[in-house]
Coordinates of all heavy atoms in Angstrom, one line a residue:
M85 N 113.8 99.8 88.0 CA 113.6 98.7 89.0 C 113.6 97.4 88.3 O 112.7 97.2 87.5 CB 112.4 99.0 89.8 CG 112.1 98.0 90.9 SD 110.8 98.6 91.9 CE 109.9 97.0 92.1
A86 N 114.5 96.5 88.6 CA 114.5 95.2 88.0 C 114.1 94.1 88.9 O 114.2 93.0 88.5 CB 115.9 95.0 87.4
D87 N 113.7 94.4 90.1 CA 113.3 93.4 91.1 C 112.0 92.7 90.7 O 111.0 93.4 90.5 CB 113.1 94.0 92.5 CG 114.4 94.6 93.1 OD1 115.5 94.1 92.7 OD2 114.4 95.5 93.9
A88 N 112.1 91.4 90.6 CA 110.9 90.7 90.2 C 110.2 90.3 91.5 O 110.8 90.0 92.5 CB 111.3 89.4 89.4
V89 N 108.9 90.2 91.4 CA 108.0 89.7 92.5 C 107.1 88.6 92.0 O 106.5 88.8 90.9 CB 107.2 90.9 93.1 CG1 106.2 90.3 94.1 CG2 108.1 91.9 93.7
N90 N 107.1 87.5 92.7 CA 106.2 86.4 92.3 C 105.2 86.2 93.4 O 105.5 86.2 94.6 CB 107.0 85.1 92.1 CG 108.1 85.3 91.1 OD1 107.9 85.8 90.0 ND2 109.4 85.1 91.5
L91 N 103.9 86.0 92.9 CA 102.8 85.8 93.9 C 102.0 84.6 93.4 O 101.6 84.6 92.2 CB 102.0 87.1 93.9 CG 100.8 87.2 94.8 CD1 101.2 87.0 96.3 CD2 100.0 88.5 94.5
T92 N 101.6 83.7 94.3 CA 100.7 82.6 94.0 C 99.6 82.7 95.0 O 99.8 82.8 96.2 CB 101.4 81.3 94.1 OG1 102.5 81.3 93.2 CG2 100.5 80.1 93.8
L93 N 98.3 82.7 94.4 CA 97.1 82.8 95.3 C 96.1 81.7 94.8 O 96.1 81.4 93.6 CB 96.4 84.1 95.1 CG 97.2 85.4 95.5 CD1 96.5 86.6 95.0 CD2 97.3 85.4 97.0
P94 N 95.3 81.2 95.8 CA 94.3 80.3 95.4 C 93.2 81.1 94.6 O 93.0 82.3 94.8 CB 93.7 79.7 96.7 CG 94.2 80.7 97.7 CD 95.4 81.4 97.2
S95 N 92.5 80.4 93.7 CA 91.5 81.1 92.9 C 90.2 81.2 93.7 O 89.1 80.9 93.2 CB 91.3 80.4 91.5 OG 90.8 79.1 91.8
D96 N 90.3 81.6 94.9 CA 89.2 81.8 95.8 C 89.0 83.3 95.9 O 89.9 84.1 96.0 CB 89.6 81.3 97.2 CG 88.5 81.4 98.2 OD1 87.9 82.5 98.3 OD2 88.2 80.4 98.9
E97 N 87.7 83.8 95.7 CA 87.4 85.2 95.7 C 87.9 85.9 96.9 O 88.3 87.1 96.8 CB 85.9 85.4 95.7 CG 85.3 85.0 94.4 CD 83.8 85.3 94.4 OE1 83.3 86.2 95.1 OE2 83.1 84.6 93.7
R98 N 88.1 85.2 98.1 CA 88.6 85.9 99.3 C 90.0 86.4 99.1 O 90.4 87.3 99.8 CB 88.5 84.9 100.5 CG 87.1 84.5 100.8 CD 87.1 83.5 101.9 NE 87.8 82.3 101.5 CZ 88.2 81.4 102.3 NH1 88.1 81.4 103.6 NH2 88.9 80.3 101.8
F99 N 90.8 85.7 98.2 CA 92.2 86.1 98.1 C 92.5 86.8 96.7 O 93.5 87.5 96.7 CB 93.0 84.8 98.2 CG 92.8 84.1 99.5 CD1 92.1 82.9 99.5 CD2 93.3 84.6 100.7 CE1 91.9 82.3 100.7 CE2 93.1 84.0 101.9 CZ 92.4 82.8 101.9
L100 N 91.7 86.5 95.7 CA 92.1 87.1 94.4 C 92.1 88.6 94.3 O 92.9 89.2 93.5 CB 91.1 86.5 93.3 CG 91.3 85.1 92.9 CD1 90.3 84.7 91.8 CD2 92.8 84.9 92.4
G101 N 91.4 89.3 95.2 CA 91.4 90.7 95.2 C 92.8 91.3 95.7 O 93.1 92.4 95.4
L102 N 93.6 90.4 96.3 CA 94.9 90.9 96.7 C 95.8 91.1 95.5 O 96.7 92.0 95.6 CB 95.5 89.9 97.7 CG 94.9 89.6 99.0 CD1 95.5 88.4 99.7 CD2 94.9 90.8 99.9
A103 N 95.7 90.3 94.5 CA 96.7 90.4 93.4 C 96.7 91.7 92.7 O 97.7 92.3 92.5 CB 96.4 89.2 92.4
P104 N 95.5 92.3 92.3 CA 95.5 93.6 91.6 C 96.1 94.7 92.5 O 96.8 95.6 92.1 CB 94.0 93.8 91.3 CG 93.4 92.5 91.2 CD 94.1 91.7 92.3
E105 N 95.8 94.6 93.8 CA 96.3 95.6 94.8 C 97.8 95.5 94.9 O 98.5 96.6 94.9 CB 95.7 95.5 96.1 CG 94.2 95.8 96.1 CD 93.8 97.1 95.6 OE1 94.6 98.1 95.9 OE2 92.8 97.3 94.9
V106 N 98.4 94.3 94.9 CA 99.8 94.1 94.9 C 100.4 94.7 93.6 O 101.4 95.4 93.6 CB 100.2 92.7 95.1 CG1 101.7 92.4 94.8 CG2 99.9 92.2 96.4
G107 N 99.7 94.5 92.5 CA 100.1 95.0 91.2 C 100.2 96.6 91.2 O 101.1 97.2 90.7
G108 N 99.2 97.2 91.8 CA 99.2 98.6 91.9 C 100.3 99.2 92.8 O 101.0 100.1 92.4
R109 N 100.6 98.5 93.9 CA 101.8 98.9 94.7 C 103.1 98.7 94.0 O 104.0 99.5 94.2 CB 101.7 98.2 96.1 CG 100.6 98.5 97.0 CD 100.5 99.9 97.4 NE 99.6 100.6 96.4 CZ 99.7 101.9 96.1 NH1 100.5 102.7 96.7 NH2 98.9 102.5 95.2
Y110 N 103.2 97.6 93.2 CA 104.4 97.3 92.5 C 104.6 98.4 91.4 O 105.8 98.9 91.3 CB 104.3 96.0 91.7 CG 105.5 95.6 91.1 CD1 106.5 94.9 91.8 CD2 105.8 95.9 89.7 CE1 107.7 94.5 91.1 CE2 106.9 95.5 89.1 CZ 107.9 94.8 89.8 OH 109.1 94.5 89.2
V111 N 103.6 98.9 90.8 CA 103.7 100.0 89.8 C 104.3 101.2 90.5 O 105.2 101.9 90.0 CB 102.4 100.3 89.1 CG1 102.4 101.6 88.3 CG2 102.1 99.2 88.1
V112 N 103.7 101.6 91.6 CA 104.2 102.8 92.4 C 105.7 102.6 92.8 O 106.5 103.5 92.6 CB 103.3 103.1 93.6 CG1 103.9 104.1 94.5 CG2 101.9 103.5 93.1
A113 N 106.0 101.4 93.3 CA 107.4 101.1 93.7 C 108.4 101.2 92.5 O 109.5 101.6 92.6 CB 107.5 99.7 94.3
A114 N 107.8 100.9 91.3 CA 108.7 101.0 90.1 C 108.8 102.4 89.5 O 109.4 102.6 88.5 CB 108.1 100.0 89.0
G115 N 108.1 103.3 90.1 CA 108.2 104.7 89.6 C 106.9 105.3 89.0 O 106.9 106.4 88.5
G116 N 105.8 104.5 89.0 CA 104.6 104.9 88.5 C 103.8 105.8 89.5 O 104.1 105.9 90.6
S117 N 102.7 106.4 89.0 CA 101.9 107.3 89.8 C 100.7 106.5 90.3 O 100.5 105.3 90.0 CB 101.4 108.4 88.9 OG 100.5 107.9 87.9
E118 N 99.9 107.1 91.2 CA 98.7 106.5 91.7 C 97.7 106.2 90.5 O 97.0 105.2 90.5 CB 98.0 107.3 92.8 CG 98.8 107.4 94.1 CD 99.0 106.0 94.7 OE1 98.0 105.2 94.6 OE2 100.0 105.7 95.3
A119 N 97.7 107.1 89.5 CA 96.9 106.8 88.3 C 97.3 105.6 87.6 O 96.5 104.8 87.1 CB 96.9 108.1 87.4
D120 N 98.7 105.4 87.5 CA 99.2 104.2 86.8 C 98.8 103.0 87.7 O 98.5 102.0 87.1 CB 100.7 104.3 86.8 CG 101.2 105.4 85.8 OD1 100.7 105.5 84.8 OD2 102.2 106.1 86.2
A121 N 98.9 103.1 89.0 CA 98.5 102.0 89.8 C 97.0 101.6 89.6 O 96.7 100.4 89.5 CB 98.7 102.4 91.3
G122 N 96.2 102.6 89.5 CA 94.7 102.4 89.3 C 94.5 101.6 87.9 O 93.7 100.7 87.8
A123 N 95.3 102.0 86.9 CA 95.1 101.4 85.6 C 95.6 100.0 85.6 O 94.9 99.1 85.1 CB 96.0 102.2 84.6
I124 N 96.6 99.6 86.3 CA 97.1 98.3 86.4 C 96.2 97.4 87.3 O 95.9 96.3 87.0 CB 98.6 98.1 86.8 CG1 99.2 96.8 86.4 CG2 98.8 98.3 88.3 CD1 99.8 96.7 85.1
V125 N 95.6 98.0 88.3 CA 94.7 97.3 89.2 C 93.5 96.9 88.3 O 93.0 95.7 88.4 CB 94.2 98.2 90.4 CG1 93.0 97.6 91.0 CG2 95.3 98.3 91.4
E126 N 92.9 97.8 87.5 CA 91.8 97.5 86.7 C 92.1 96.4 85.6 O 91.4 95.4 85.4 CB 91.3 98.7 85.9 CG 90.1 98.5 85.1 CD 89.6 99.8 84.5 OE1 89.7 100.9 85.1 OE2 89.0 99.8 83.4
A127 N 93.3 96.5 85.0 CA 93.7 95.6 83.9 C 93.9 94.2 84.6 O 93.5 93.2 84.0 CB 95.0 96.0 83.2
L128 N 94.5 94.1 85.7 CA 94.8 92.8 86.4 C 93.5 92.2 86.8 O 93.3 91.0 86.7 CB 95.7 93.0 87.6 CG 97.2 93.2 87.2 CD1 98.0 93.5 88.5 CD2 97.8 92.0 86.4
S129 N 92.5 93.0 87.3 CA 91.2 92.5 87.8 C 90.5 91.8 86.6 O 90.0 90.7 86.7 CB 90.4 93.6 88.3 OG 90.9 94.1 89.5
E130 N 90.6 92.4 85.4 CA 89.9 91.9 84.2 C 90.6 90.6 83.8 O 90.0 89.6 83.5 CB 89.9 92.9 83.1 CG 89.0 94.0 83.3 CD 89.1 95.1 82.2 OE1 89.5 94.7 81.1 OE2 88.6 96.2 82.4
A131 N 92.0 90.6 83.8 CA 92.7 89.5 83.3 C 92.5 88.3 84.3 O 92.4 87.1 83.8 CB 94.2 89.8 83.2
I132 N 92.5 88.5 85.5 CA 92.3 87.4 86.5 C 90.9 86.9 86.4 O 90.7 85.7 86.4 CB 92.6 88.0 88.0 CG1 94.0 88.2 88.2 CG2 92.0 87.0 89.0 CD1 94.4 89.0 89.4
G133 N 89.9 87.7 86.2 CA 88.6 87.3 86.0 C 88.4 86.3 84.8 O 87.8 85.3 84.8
A134 N 89.1 86.7 83.7 CA 89.1 85.9 82.5 C 89.8 84.6 82.6 O 89.3 83.5 82.2 CB 89.7 86.7 81.3
L135 N 90.9 84.6 83.3 CA 91.7 83.4 83.5 C 91.0 82.4 84.5 O 91.2 81.2 84.3 CB 93.1 83.7 84.0 CG 94.1 84.2 83.0 CD1 95.4 84.5 83.8 CD2 94.4 83.1 82.0
T136 N 90.3 82.9 85.5 CA 89.8 82.0 86.5 C 88.3 81.6 86.3 O 87.8 80.8 87.0 CB 89.9 82.7 87.9 OG1 89.2 83.9 87.9 CG2 91.4 82.9 88.3
E137 N 87.7 82.2 85.3 CA 86.3 81.9 85.0 C 86.1 80.4 84.8 O 86.7 79.8 83.8 CB 85.8 82.6 83.8 CG 84.3 82.5 83.6 CD 83.8 83.4 82.5 OE1 84.6 84.3 82.1 OE2 82.7 83.1 82.0
G138 N 85.4 79.7 85.6 CA 85.0 78.3 85.5 C 86.1 77.3 85.8 O 86.0 76.1 85.5
V139 N 87.2 77.8 86.4 CA 88.3 76.9 86.8 C 88.7 77.0 88.2 O 88.4 78.0 88.9 CB 89.6 77.1 85.9 CG1 89.3 76.9 84.4 CG2 90.2 78.5 86.1
D140 N 89.3 76.0 88.7 CA 89.8 76.0 90.1 C 91.3 75.7 90.1 O 91.7 74.9 89.3 CB 89.1 74.8 90.9 CG 88.7 75.2 92.3 OD1 88.8 76.3 92.6 OD2 88.3 74.2 93.0
G141 N 92.0 76.4 90.9 CA 93.4 76.2 91.0 C 94.1 77.5 91.4 O 93.5 78.5 91.5
D142 N 95.4 77.4 91.5 CA 96.2 78.6 91.9 C 96.4 79.6 90.7 O 96.4 79.1 89.6 CB 97.6 78.2 92.4 CG 97.5 77.4 93.7 OD1 96.5 77.5 94.4 OD2 98.5 76.8 94.1
V143 N 96.5 80.8 91.1 CA 96.8 81.9 90.1 C 98.2 82.3 90.4 O 98.5 82.7 91.6 CB 95.8 83.0 90.2 CG1 96.2 84.1 89.2 CG2 94.4 82.6 90.0
E144 N 99.1 82.2 89.4 CA 100.5 82.7 89.6 C 100.6 84.0 88.9 O 100.2 84.2 87.7 CB 101.4 81.7 89.0 CG 101.4 80.3 89.6 CD 102.2 79.3 88.9 OE1 103.2 79.7 88.3 OE2 101.9 78.1 89.0
L145 N 101.3 84.9 89.5 CA 101.6 86.3 88.9 C 103.1 86.5 89.1 O 103.6 86.4 90.2 CB 100.8 87.4 89.7 CG 99.3 87.2 89.6 CD1 98.7 86.6 90.8 CD2 98.6 88.6 89.3
D146 N 103.7 86.9 88.0 CA 105.1 87.3 88.0 C 105.2 88.8 87.6 O 104.8 89.1 86.4 CB 105.9 86.4 87.0 CG 105.9 85.0 87.4 OD1 106.0 84.7 88.6 OD2 105.7 84.1 86.5
F147 N 105.6 89.6 88.5 CA 105.7 91.0 88.3 C 107.2 91.4 87.9 O 108.1 90.9 88.6 CB 105.3 91.8 89.5 CG 103.9 91.6 90.0 CD1 103.6 90.6 90.9 CD2 102.9 92.5 89.6 CE1 102.3 90.4 91.3 CE2 101.6 92.3 90.0 CZ 101.3 91.2 90.9
R148 N 107.4 92.1 86.9 CA 108.8 92.6 86.6 C 108.7 94.0 85.9 O 107.6 94.3 85.4 CB 109.6 91.7 85.7 CG 108.9 90.6 85.0 CD 109.7 89.6 84.2 NE 109.7 90.0 82.8 CZ 110.7 90.3 82.0 NH1 111.9 90.2 82.5 NH2 110.5 90.7 80.8
S149 N 109.8 94.7 85.9 CA 109.8 95.9 85.2 C 111.0 96.1 84.3 O 112.0 96.7 84.6 CB 109.7 97.1 86.2 OG 110.7 97.0 87.1
P150 N 110.9 95.4 83.1 CA 112.0 95.5 82.2 C 112.0 96.8 81.5 O 111.0 97.1 80.8 CB 111.8 94.3 81.3 CG 110.3 94.2 81.2 CD 109.8 94.6 82.6
G151 N 113.0 97.6 81.6 CA 113.0 98.9 80.9 C 112.0 99.9 81.4 O 111.9 100.1 82.6
A152 N 111.2 100.4 80.6 CA 110.3 101.5 80.9 C 108.8 101.0 81.0 O 107.9 101.8 80.7 CB 110.4 102.6 79.9
E153 N 108.6 99.8 81.5 CA 107.2 99.3 81.7 C 107.2 98.3 82.8 O 108.2 97.8 83.2 CB 106.7 98.7 80.4 CG 107.3 97.4 80.0 CD 106.7 96.8 78.7 OE1 105.9 97.5 78.0 OE2 107.1 95.7 78.4
V154 N 106.0 98.1 83.3 CA 105.7 97.0 84.2 C 105.0 95.9 83.4 O 104.1 96.2 82.7 CB 104.9 97.5 85.4 CG1 104.4 96.3 86.2 CG2 105.6 98.4 86.3
E155 N 105.5 94.7 83.6 CA 104.9 93.5 82.9 C 104.5 92.5 84.0 O 105.3 92.2 84.9 CB 106.0 92.9 82.0 CG 105.5 91.7 81.3 CD 106.6 91.2 80.4 OE1 106.9 91.8 79.4 OE2 107.3 90.2 80.8
V156 N 103.2 92.0 83.9 CA 102.7 91.0 84.8 C 102.3 89.8 84.0 O 101.4 90.0 83.1 CB 101.6 91.6 85.7 CG1 101.1 90.5 86.7 CG2 101.9 92.9 86.3
T157 N 102.9 88.7 84.2 CA 102.5 87.5 83.6 C 101.6 86.7 84.5 O 102.0 86.4 85.7 CB 103.7 86.6 83.1 OG1 104.5 87.4 82.3 CG2 103.3 85.4 82.4
L158 N 100.4 86.3 84.1 CA 99.5 85.6 84.9 C 99.3 84.2 84.3 O 99.2 84.0 83.1 CB 98.1 86.3 84.9 CG 98.1 87.7 85.4 CD1 98.1 88.7 84.2 CD2 96.8 88.0 86.1
R159 N 99.2 83.2 85.2 CA 99.0 81.8 84.8 C 98.0 81.2 85.7 O 98.0 81.4 86.9 CB 100.3 81.0 84.9 CG 101.3 81.4 83.9 CD 102.6 80.6 84.0 NE 103.7 81.2 83.5 CZ 104.4 82.2 84.1 NH1 104.1 82.5 85.3 NH2 105.4 82.8 83.4
C160 N 97.0 80.4 85.1 CA 96.1 79.7 85.9 C 95.6 78.5 85.1 O 95.1 78.7 84.0 CB 94.9 80.6 86.3 SG 93.7 79.7 87.3
H161 N 95.7 77.3 85.6 CA 95.1 76.1 85.0 C 95.5 76.0 83.5 O 94.6 75.7 82.7 CB 93.6 76.1 85.3 CG 93.1 74.7 85.3 ND1 92.5 74.1 84.2 CD2 93.0 73.8 86.3 CE1 92.1 72.9 84.5 NE2 92.4 72.7 85.7
G162 N 96.7 76.2 83.2 CA 97.2 76.0 81.8 C 96.9 77.2 80.9 O 97.3 77.2 79.7
K163 N 96.3 78.2 81.4 CA 96.1 79.4 80.6 C 97.0 80.5 81.1 O 97.4 80.5 82.2 CB 94.6 79.9 80.7 CG 93.6 78.9 80.2 CD 92.2 79.5 80.1 CE 91.6 79.8 81.4 NZ 90.2 80.3 81.4
S164 N 97.3 81.5 80.2 CA 98.2 82.6 80.6 C 97.8 83.9 79.9 O 97.1 83.8 78.9 CB 99.7 82.3 80.4 OG 99.9 82.2 79.0
S165 N 98.2 85.0 80.5 CA 97.9 86.3 80.0 C 99.1 87.2 80.5 O 99.7 87.0 81.5 CB 96.6 86.8 80.5 OG 96.3 88.1 80.0
V166 N 99.3 88.3 79.7 CA 100.4 89.2 80.1 C 99.7 90.6 80.1 O 99.1 91.0 79.1 CB 101.6 89.2 79.1 CG1 102.6 90.3 79.5 CG2 102.2 87.8 79.1
V167 N 99.9 91.3 81.1 CA 99.4 92.7 81.3 C 100.6 93.6 81.4 O 101.6 93.3 82.1 CB 98.6 92.9 82.5 CG1 98.2 94.3 82.8 CG2 97.3 92.0 82.4
T168 N 100.7 94.6 80.6 CA 101.8 95.6 80.6 C 101.3 97.0 80.8 O 100.1 97.3 80.5 CB 102.7 95.6 79.3 OG1 101.8 95.9 78.2 CG2 103.3 94.2 79.1
H169 N 102.1 97.8 81.4 CA 101.8 99.2 81.6 C 103.0 100.1 81.6 O 104.0 99.7 82.2 CB 101.1 99.4 83.0 CG 100.5 100.8 83.1 ND1 99.4 101.3 82.5 CD2 101.0 101.9 83.8 CE1 99.2 102.5 82.8 NE2 100.2 102.9 83.6
P170 N 103.1 101.1 80.7 CA 104.3 101.9 80.6 C 104.5 102.7 81.9 O 103.6 103.2 82.6 CB 104.0 102.9 79.5 CG 102.5 102.9 79.4 CD 102.0 101.6 79.9
L171 N 105.7 102.9 82.3 CA 106.1 103.8 83.4 C 106.3 105.2 82.9 O 106.5 105.4 81.7 CB 107.4 103.3 84.0 CG 107.2 101.9 84.8 CD1 108.6 101.4 85.2 CD2 106.3 102.1 85.9
P172 N 106.1 106.2 83.7 CA 106.2 107.6 83.3 C 107.4 108.0 82.5 O 107.3 108.8 81.5 CB 106.2 108.4 84.6 CG 105.5 107.5 85.5 CD 105.9 106.1 85.2
A173 N 108.6 107.4 82.8 CA 109.8 107.8 82.0 C 109.6 107.4 80.5 O 110.3 108.0 79.7 CB 111.0 107.1 82.6
A174 N 108.7 106.4 80.2 CA 108.6 106.0 78.8 C 107.7 106.9 78.0 O 107.6 106.9 76.8 CB 108.0 104.6 78.8
R175 N 107.0 107.8 78.7 CA 106.0 108.7 78.0 C 106.8 110.0 77.6 O 107.5 110.5 78.4 CB 104.9 109.1 79.0 CG 104.1 107.8 79.3 CD 103.0 108.2 80.3 NE 102.3 107.0 80.7 CZ 101.8 106.9 81.9 NH1 101.7 107.9 82.7 NH2 101.2 105.7 82.2
T176 N 106.5 110.4 76.4 CA 107.1 111.7 76.0 C 106.1 112.6 75.4 O 105.0 112.3 75.1 CB 108.2 111.4 74.9 OG1 107.5 110.7 73.8 CG2 109.3 110.7 75.5

């Protein structure tokens, strides 16, 4: 799956919980399992927490699946982070 998804959310607690859930659904849509979805939800929650700590502003997330993994690039207030997770086809 090469379809990219871009999501921008305010760094308000009411909305930030949506991003990891979208990430989990993206992993499943890209061919991952529910366990894969859970792993990316946890990783994205941690990354978002680190990026938004003490700052105000939008959080941008770019989801893509180049090859055999899902890659999520997060940006907030001049900081960025990348979370990756292998898809089942990549495991041997």
Side-chain angles (χ1 to χ4, degrees):
M85 180 171 138
D87 294 332
V89 172
N90 303 306
L91 178 65
T92 301
L93 297 169
S95 61
D96 181 311
E97 288 181 31
R98 297 175 299 164
F99 302 107
L100 284 181
L102 295 171
E105 294 302 321
V106 170
R109 295 300 91 209
Y110 185 86
V111 166
V112 171
S117 67
E118 289 298 325
D120 294 318
I124 200 90
V125 165
E126 184 177 327
L128 287 174
S129 294
E130 289 178 20
I132 290 168
L135 281 178
T136 60
E137 187 174 345
V139 298
D140 218 7
D142 290 343
V143 177
E144 298 174 27
L145 298 99
D146 297 320
F147 299 88
R148 15 181 261 124
S149 54
E153 68 181 8
V154 168
E155 177 181 285
V156 184
T157 303
L158 303 96
R159 292 179 202 82
C160 180
H161 207 263
K163 297 189 291 184
S164 67
S165 180
V166 177
V167 173
T168 60
H169 187 80
L171 292 173
R175 298 178 186 149
T176 57

